[in-house]
């Protein structure tokens, strides 16, 4: 109660200044309230005046004390005398002695008043509190004694506590150390376990993908510059070349790197430096051929910065790209499509890959921005111009271009904007592909299982590679103690388990695959023959631009041959026997189909090509010997050569004998020839030199082919018959007997989307045969001869025929080369879904390099030429006949005999042309229509006349039908005299012969059509000049 007042008084005193007190002291006659306060202050300090209760003088003195305020602060308020309290009571009781009243007089007096009242109040409160204080002091004294005792005890307690804390601290330290040691022991155990797992895991990886050593890595690092130079050079320059030229160029580069002292790895190149086995396995699953060239091509495509233009005549790259990019919604387009630009823009915008097929030797300028990747920023987006449109360019966009041209020429403005890659199929790649097809057809269960295992193993190996990459990445990123990385150790342990599981599965799969592969390999000779034959027919385009054959056509024939060679009802033969049957059947099937599209002059050439390739493959002959037979050049003659040994030896013959001596097989030929010169002259002078044994031991020294090479030197005019005999000896006689033309069979091999192409020769006109065949089939035939302005009409005719199921014949395509690209686009647009099943497009053309390759490759090609040789010509005539022709005549036996003579006459006239001016002064084109009208007239005359009208027959044939074409009088007389040999009464006798040699006779009696054909097959393959009435020298 007193303390708040006291605190308030103290607070006021603290705010009081000495100047405030001295101001009061300066009063001469202070106000009453001021006096009252000063008097109370004097009482409190025991000051008194001279007069009773006159306090102003002592009060003034007191006010003048500079320590007054301090004295008031330090006033002994606990021991105020009673007399002072008694005196001050008067003032306290005075109502005027209040701070709020005195405040108006003086600030200092107010503070003094407030202080005095506080002292008074404190005194009385203290009187009540004092006993309590005394009691408190006593209690405090007792407390102090107790506290001293407690302090002693506390000191003892503290000593004990400190000792306890020390012991507890030492105990905790021991426990902590124990725990640390236990943790370290546990950590060591964990690390030992992890180290064991790490070593175990890494030891497993040693046999996996990580097969290189530190030394090898160091060597690779040293050689990296040279290796990259080789690989970069391969990508930049070698894509357009074949394997031979690539290897040659890489060898040259390697030599130069060695000269310049740049280290490189032996065998460095695109394949060795940049190959990724996992990627390659994925590519092969997508259809990439497994040969080294194709794999290298795929690496170039994946690493090149420019878009790839693939030379792909067989469609291998096309098939691979389609499979590889199928999941990314690949867009497949042709430049000829009407909606090509719109589709291209869509793919560019949405990042879909694009494959442009059938690119020619020039590329549309609209593709130039894409080829050069001429992108630019517009509105924050990447943009490229396509035509007049600016299209947003997606980073995932890819462009692939393929060309079916087998040997295109690209100008620099094209080749510098793309990377050219030659995807022309290789023999090894085709062989592997054909082996898969063979086993798939013959043993589909094995091939399906093999394909499953290939895909499964590829997945396993990819998974192993990913595990290895992850481990290597984590090892490279691991910092400090590798054993502390729990995730790394667990990943390695898990990968170890996975690797072991995969390893077991791979081992089992590889064993199964080995068994399957062993069975597959038994079929290898068949695809080897198939690959060899394909490259034979592929080379035929070098002879004639119209001889184009697609791989798809070849494979379809390959499969059809396997199915066609199965004989129902017979037990399945052993694999080796079956392979022999397949080879035999397919070789002849291909021969028949190819011969249908070859001119007569090239049919033996094809057989010879196949024969020599087979002989080279079986090491019977060498490529150098074949080259000599074809060119007469064996090498470079150096130094002085021996003179020819005899005057009768032609200079050309001796030069070629010397050229032959450059070959290993003929090194001794000049000396053998010189020693037996007289005997060799007999060979040279003989009308049939091939039938004579070669003198001087040469007959035993050389094989059949080498004898042909020698015969080429002496008697080149006799090489063809011997070549024909070589084909017969090596392959069989049927490979020199081309099958007769069969329009119906060609039609059966076609589809609504594969055109039928007649390759014309002078005098050939398929129109009549085609019209007759259309009538037989009951199908409407529309014909148009192409020329200027006929293209749109032809297109309308095709469109109508596709819907109505009729036939369209476009004649003389060679006369409309500018319209051929449009025709190609039209044919490419054919689809089995839209075309009527009966629709067929027939085309006729003379050989032309402007004719679309894709149509030639996918169409059914036919040539219309008289068969070469009397035997083949007559067989062709009788092949088109039917038995009803003879049976419908009143005199069938006479008709058969006379028709045989007519057919002989027709063949004789056509074959005389090969003798040039010796045959006819002017070459004439006798056609089948001449024969057909004579056949009709012969049947008619025999029906209408009792006896054979010889004069009428000779006149209609010799003067009208055949003679109508003959303009030279000597040729007309020759024709009439030849006809007399075949149209006379003696021809009706069985003993009659059409030649002096007696080799050519008609079949005796009343033979059937098949018996006549059999009789004709007995005629010589190559006729001698005597059958034409000419001297032997006519062959020279």
């Amino acid at each position: 109660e007193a303390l708040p007042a006291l605190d308030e008084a103290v607070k006021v005193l603290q705010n009081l200044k000495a100047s405030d007190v001295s101001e009061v002291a300066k009063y001469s006659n202070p106000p009453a309230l001021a006096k009252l306060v000063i008097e109370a202050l004097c009482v409190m300090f025991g000051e008194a005046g001279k007069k009773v209760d006159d306090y102003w003088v002592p009060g003034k003195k007191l006010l003048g004390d500079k320590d007054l305020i301090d004295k008031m602060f330090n006033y002994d308020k606990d021991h105020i005398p009673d007399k002072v309290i008694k005196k001050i009571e008067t003032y306290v009781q005075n109502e005027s002695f209040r701070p709020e009243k005195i405040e108006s007089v003086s600030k200092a007096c107010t503070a003094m008043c407030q202080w005095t009242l506080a002292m008074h109040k404190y005194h009385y409160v203290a009187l009540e509190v004092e006993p309590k204080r005394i009691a408190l002091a006593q209690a405090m004294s007792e407390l102090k004694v107790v506290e001293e005792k407690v302090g002693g005890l506390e000191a003892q307690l503290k000593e004990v506590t400190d000792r306890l804390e020390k012991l507890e601290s030492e105990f905790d330290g021991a426990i902590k150390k124990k725990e640390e040691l236990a943790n370290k022991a546990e950590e060591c155990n964990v690390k030992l376990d992890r180290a064991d797992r790490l070593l175990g895991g890494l030891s497993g990886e040693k046999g996996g993908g990580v097969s290189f050593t530190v030394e090898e890595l160091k060597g690779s690092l040293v050689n990296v510059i040279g290796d990259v130079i080789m690989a970069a050079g391969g990508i930049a320059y070698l894509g357009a070349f074949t394997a031979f030229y690539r290897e040659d160029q890489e060898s040259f580069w390697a030599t130069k790197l060695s000269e310049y002292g740049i280290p490189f790895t032996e065998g460095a190149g695109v394949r060795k430096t940049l190959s990724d086995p996992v990627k390659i396995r994925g590519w092969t699953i997508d259809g990439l051929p497994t040969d080294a060239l194709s794999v290298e091509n795929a690496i170039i495509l994946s690493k090149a910065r420019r878009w790839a233009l693939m030379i792909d005549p067989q469609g291998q790259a096309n098939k691979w790209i389609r499979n590889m990019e199928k999941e990314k919604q690949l867009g497949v387009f042709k430049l000829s499509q009407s909606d090509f630009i719109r589709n291209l823009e869509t793919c560019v915008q949405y990042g879909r890959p694009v494959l442009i097929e059938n690119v020619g030797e020039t590329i549309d300028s609209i593709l130039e921005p894409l080829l050069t990747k001429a992108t630019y920023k517009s509105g924050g987006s990447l943009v490229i111009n396509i035509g007049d449109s600016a299209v947003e360019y997606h980073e995932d966009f890819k462009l692939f271009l393929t060309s079916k041209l087998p040997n295109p020429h690209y100008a620099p403005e094209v080749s510098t904007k793309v990377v050219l890659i030659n995807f022309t199929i290789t023999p090894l790649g085709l062989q592997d592909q054909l082996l898969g097809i063979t086993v798939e057809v013959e043993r589909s269960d094995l091939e399906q299982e093999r394909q499953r295992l290939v895909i499964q193993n590829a997945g396993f190996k990819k998974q192993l590679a990913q595990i290895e990459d992850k481990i290597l990445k984590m090892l490279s990123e691991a910092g400090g103690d590798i054993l502390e990385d729990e995730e790394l150790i667990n990943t390695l342990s898990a990968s170890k388990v996975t690797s072991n599981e995969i390893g077991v599965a791979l081992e089992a799969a590889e064993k199964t695959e080995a068994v399957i592969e062993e069975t597959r390999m038994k079929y290898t000779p068949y695809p080897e023959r198939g690959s060899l034959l394909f490259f034979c027919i592929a080379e035929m385009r070098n002879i004639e631009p119209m001889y184009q054959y697609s791989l798809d056509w070849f494979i379809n024939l390959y499969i059809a041959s396997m199915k066609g060679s199965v004989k129902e009802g017979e037990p399945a033969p052993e694999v080796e026997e079956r392979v022999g049957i397949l080879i035999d059947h397919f070789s002849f099937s291909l021969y028949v189909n190819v011969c249908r599209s070859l001119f007569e002059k090239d049919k033996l050439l094809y057989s010879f090509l196949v024969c020599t390739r087979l002989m080279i493959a079986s090491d019977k002959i060498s490529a150098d010997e074949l080259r000599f037979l074809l060119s007469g050049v064996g090498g470079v003659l150096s130094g002085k050569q021996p003179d020819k040994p005899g005057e009768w030896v032609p200079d050309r013959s001796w030069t070629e004998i010397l050229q032959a001596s450059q070959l290993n097989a003929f090194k001794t030929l000049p000396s053998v020839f010189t020693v037996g010169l007289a005997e060799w002259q007999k060979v040279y002078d003989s009308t049939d030199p091939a039938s004579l044994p070669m003198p001087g031991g040469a007959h035993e020294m050389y094989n059949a082919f080498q004898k042909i090479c020698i015969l080429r030197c002496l008697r080149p005019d006799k090489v063809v018959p011997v070549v024909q005999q070589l084909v017969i000896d090596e392959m069989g006689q049927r490979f020199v007997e081309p099958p007769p033309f069969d329009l119906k069979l060609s039609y059966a091999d076609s589809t609504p989307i594969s055109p039928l192409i007649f390759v014309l020769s002078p005098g050939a006109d398929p129109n009549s045969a085609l019209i007759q065949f259309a009538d037989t089939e009951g199908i409407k035939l529309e014909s148009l001869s192409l020329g200027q302005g006929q293209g749109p009409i032809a297109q309308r005719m095709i469109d109508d025929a596709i819907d109505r199921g009729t036939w369209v014949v476009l004649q003389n395509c060679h006369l409309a080369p500018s319209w051929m690209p449009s025709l190609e686009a039209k044919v490419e647009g054919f689809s089995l879904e839209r075309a009527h099943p009966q629709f067929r497009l027939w085309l006729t053309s003379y050989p032309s390099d402007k004719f679309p390759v894709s149509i030639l490759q996918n169409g059914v090609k036919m040539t219309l030429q008289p068969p070469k040789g009397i035997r083949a010509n007559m067989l062709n005539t009788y092949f088109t006949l039917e038995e009803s022709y003879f049976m419908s005549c009143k005199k069938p036996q006479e008709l058969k005999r006379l028709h045989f003579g007519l057919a002989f006459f027709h063949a004789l006239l056509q074959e005389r042309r090969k003798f040039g001016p010796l045959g006819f002064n002017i070459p004439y084109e006798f056609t089948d229509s001449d024969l057909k009208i004579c056949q009709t007239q012969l049947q008619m005359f025999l029906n209408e006349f009792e006896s054979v009208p010889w004069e009428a027959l000779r006149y209609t044939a010799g003067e009208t039908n055949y003679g109508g074409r003959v303009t030279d009088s000597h040729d007309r007389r020759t024709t009439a005299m030849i006809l007399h040999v075949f149209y006379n009464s003696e021809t009706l006798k069985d003993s009659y012969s059409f030649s002096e040699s007696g080799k050519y006779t008609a079949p005796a009696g009343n033979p059937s059509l098949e018996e006549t054909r059999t009789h004709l097959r007995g005629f010589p393959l190559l006729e001698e000049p005597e059958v034409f009435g000419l001297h032997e020298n006519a062959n020279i």
Side-chain angles (χ1 to χ4, degrees), residues 856-919:
L856 286 171
Q857 288 185 340
N858 298 309
V860 178
K861 297 179 290 297
M862 300 160 284
T863 55
L864 275 181
Q865 268 190 323
K868 194 174 183 181
I870 289 179
R871 178 180 181 273
N873 201 309
M874 291 188 69
L875 276 171
N876 184 63
T877 299
Y878 274 89
F879 181 80
T880 57
L881 281 178
E882 295 182 3
E883 199 73 56
S884 59
Y885 170 74
F886 299 107
M887 302 313 296
S888 61
C889 179
K890 295 178 181 178
K891 303 181 182 67
Q893 189 168 351
E894 287 84 349
L895 178 60
K896 288 179 181 179
R897 188 57 64 93
L898 291 174
H899 182 274
F900 191 89
L902 176 63
F904 207 125
F905 171 71
H906 176 76
L908 203 67
L909 289 184
Q910 290 188 317
E911 289 302 309
R912 279 183 74 91
R913 288 178 301 182
K914 72 179 181 181
F915 295 105
L918 292 178

Side-chain angles (χ1 to χ4, degrees), residues 483-496:
L483 296 176
E484 293 180 358
D485 194 333
E486 179 73 19
E487 184 186 357
L488 171 61
I489 304 300
N490 290 339
T491 302
L492 191 58
S493 299
S495 71
K496 171 71 172 176

Side-chain angles (χ1 to χ4, degrees), residues 773-1006:
F773 182 58
D775 291 340
T776 305
E777 296 291 322
I779 298 175
K780 183 181 178 183
L781 180 70
E782 294 182 345
S783 180
L784 177 68
S785 182
L786 291 178
Q788 189 173 3
Q790 299 299 304
I793 300 172
Q795 287 190 347
R796 287 195 298 272
M797 289 173 64
I798 294 171
D799 292 336
D800 292 342
I802 286 176
D803 296 330
R804 292 188 287 119
T806 57
W807 292 355
V808 173
V809 182
L810 300 181
Q811 299 176 333
N812 301 324
C813 292
H814 59 283
L815 298 179
S818 61
W819 187 71
M820 287 298 99
S822 300
L823 175 63
E824 182 177 21
K826 194 72 179 174
V827 172
E828 286 174 353
F830 288 173
S831 66
L832 288 172
E833 292 78 16
R834 182 179 180 276
H836 192 285
Q838 288 185 340
F839 166 74
R840 292 293 186 278
L841 176 62
W842 303 78
L843 306 172
T844 72
S845 174
Y846 277 90
S848 170
D849 57 358
K850 302 297 182 185
F851 199 92
V853 172
S854 62
I855 297 179
L856 286 171
Q857 288 185 340
N858 298 309
V860 178
K861 297 179 290 297
M862 300 160 284
T863 55
L864 275 181
Q865 268 190 323
K868 194 174 183 181
I870 289 179
R871 178 180 181 273
N873 201 309
M874 291 188 69
L875 276 171
N876 184 63
T877 299
Y878 274 89
F879 181 80
T880 57
L881 281 178
E882 295 182 3
E883 199 73 56
S884 59
Y885 170 74
F886 299 107
M887 302 313 296
S888 61
C889 179
K890 295 178 181 178
K891 303 181 182 67
Q893 189 168 351
E894 287 84 349
L895 178 60
K896 288 179 181 179
R897 188 57 64 93
L898 291 174
H899 182 274
F900 191 89
L902 176 63
F904 207 125
F905 171 71
H906 176 76
L908 203 67
L909 289 184
Q910 290 188 317
E911 289 302 309
R912 279 183 74 91
R913 288 178 301 182
K914 72 179 181 181
F915 295 105
L918 292 178
F920 290 109
N921 290 330
I922 300 172
Y924 304 106
E925 295 296 336
F926 300 108
T927 65
D928 287 344
S929 60
D930 299 327
L931 176 62
K932 289 185 184 300
I933 189 62
C934 287
Q935 288 172 333
T936 305
Q937 290 172 345
L938 177 59
Q939 186 189 50
M940 180 186 69
F941 287 145
L942 291 178
N943 281 332
E944 292 182 0
F945 292 90
E946 290 295 328
S947 59
V948 180
W950 299 107
E951 291 298 326
L953 289 173
R954 285 193 285 263
Y955 183 82
T956 53
E959 299 294 334
T960 307
N961 301 327
Y962 288 96
R965 297 183 182 275
V966 180
T967 56
D968 183 82
S969 60
H970 293 89
D971 290 340
R972 182 182 291 271
R973 189 169 79 173
T974 302
T975 303
M977 292 305 297
I978 292 173
L979 181 59
H980 200 277
V981 174
F982 302 98
Y983 268 0
N984 65 74
S985 57
E986 294 296 316
T987 58
L988 299 176
K989 298 177 181 178
D990 289 343
S991 59
Y992 186 75
S993 175
F994 296 104
S995 70
E996 293 181 1
S997 64
K999 295 177 181 178
Y1000 299 92
T1001 60
N1006 186 19

Side-chain angles (χ1 to χ4, degrees), residues 13 37 58 304 355 361 427 536 590 642 655 685 706 782 793 941 985:
L13 286 175
V37 171
L355 171 61
E361 291 188 340
C536 286
L590 183 66
T655 301
D685 292 335
Q706 291 166 345
E782 294 182 345
I793 300 172
F941 287 145
S985 57

Side-chain angles (χ1 to χ4, degrees), residues 397-431:
F397 171 75
K398 292 180 183 177
L399 180 63
F400 306 95
L401 301 98
T402 62
S403 172
K404 279 189 171 292
L405 299 175
N407 189 24
H409 172 72
Y410 289 106
E413 55 266 25
V414 174
S415 57
T416 54
K417 294 171 186 171
V418 297
V419 54
L420 288 172
I421 304 178
N422 191 346
F423 259 98
T424 303
I425 196 166
T426 62
L428 184 61
L430 179 58
Q431 181 181 323

Side-chain angles (χ1 to χ4, degrees), residues 684-701:
Y684 177 77
D685 292 335
S686 173
T687 56
D688 187 12
S691 63
L692 299 178
M694 290 191 173
H699 192 71
E700 293 78 21
M701 190 185 303

